[in-house]
Amino acid sequence: MEIITKNALETQKLGEKLAKDLIKSNQPVVICLYGDLGSGKTTFIQGFAKGLGITKRILSPTFIVSREYEFGKNKKFYHLDLYRFNNEKEAEILGLKELWENKNNILTIEWPEKIENILPKDRVEVRFEYIGEEKRKIKVMTND
Ligand code: ADP
Ligand code: MG
């Protein structure tokens, strides 16, 4: 699915809808978000978290790599930003695999290309493209 959003709120709404759809259909727990700085990844994730029922404000984890939020019944939502990562070794140190192997977790990953070789096959990919000041092209690829 590919759509063009005309402002940040539309991008948030799209993220919110994806979260609700994934919960309903028991889809993959890893959502990879690709795109340049400022293309809307964090904005999308803010909506995604809302779709999971998280009411806390979602701040960008760029400097701390990972933020964790609780939702539902003993479930956890992780927002990862690997911008400062160099390689898969760092991911191992952080125990990222353990995070996505736990089916009670949902992960959104900004800059997943940093760990391309270890990403699980079963995942959703969302690609962001800057079109204009407030326009973004967003492509969502689920595995069905
Ligand atoms: P990234 O995480 O990809 O670096 P952010 O979501 O942090 O990007 O930043 C996107 C910026 O662009 C925000 O300031 C947001 O308000 C703005 N923006 C303007 N139009 C849009 C849009 N259509 N979708 C997403 N963000 C938008
Ligand atoms: Mg970001």
Side-chain angles (χ1 to χ4, degrees):
M1 182 202 59
E2 190 178 292
I3 83 157
I4 291 182
T5 61
K6 291 186 221 70
N7 54 56
L9 186 63
E10 282 188 18
T11 297
Q12 285 183 352
K13 292 281 178 205
L14 196 63
E16 190 175 340
K17 184 177 181 309
L18 178 66
K20 287 180 173 162
D21 289 348
L22 291 181
I23 289 176
K24 258 189 261 157
S25 61
N26 267 321
Q27 285 269 330
V29 293
V30 178
I31 297 95
C32 295
L33 300 100
Y34 297 85
D36 292 338
L37 279 176
S39 62
K41 302 181 296 297
T42 299
T43 301
F44 184 94
I45 290 166
Q46 287 166 345
F48 189 92
K50 194 173 168 208
L52 296 180
I54 293 164
T55 51
K56 259 197 192 162
R57 202 153 80 93
I58 303 295
L59 300 167
S60 179
T62 303
F63 295 98
I64 56 154
V65 181
S66 168
R67 283 186 196 269
E68 182 185 317
Y69 306 83
E70 284 180 22
F71 75 99
K73 280 193 199 125
N74 297 317
K75 294 195 169 251
K76 278 184 184 155
F77 168 63
Y78 289 86
H79 178 188
L80 307 174
D81 185 330
L82 307 183
Y83 185 64
R84 281 158 208 288
F85 259 48
N86 298 310
N87 53 50
E88 280 86 0
K89 254 211 183 78
E90 296 183 357
E92 249 161 62
I93 293 164
L94 263 188
L96 292 191
K97 276 186 188 164
E98 286 75 15
L99 286 186
W100 65 63
E101 278 161 9
N102 183 342
K103 297 300 170 202
N104 286 320
N105 296 337
I106 291 190
L107 279 73
T108 50
I109 309 179
E110 297 188 49
W111 299 97
E113 50 269 67
K114 303 272 183 165
I115 57 164
E116 200 69 46
N117 297 328
I118 62 162
L119 285 173
K121 260 194 254 117
D122 201 17
R123 65 185 191 241
V124 175
E125 293 189 358
V126 189
R127 293 182 185 271
F128 296 80
E129 224 180 288
Y130 184 99
I131 303 288
E133 188 134 349
E134 290 203 88
K135 270 193 188 162
R136 304 288 188 277
K137 193 198 273 181
I138 303 173
K139 205 171 168 181
V140 180
M141 285 158 285
T142 48
N143 332 344
D144 53 13

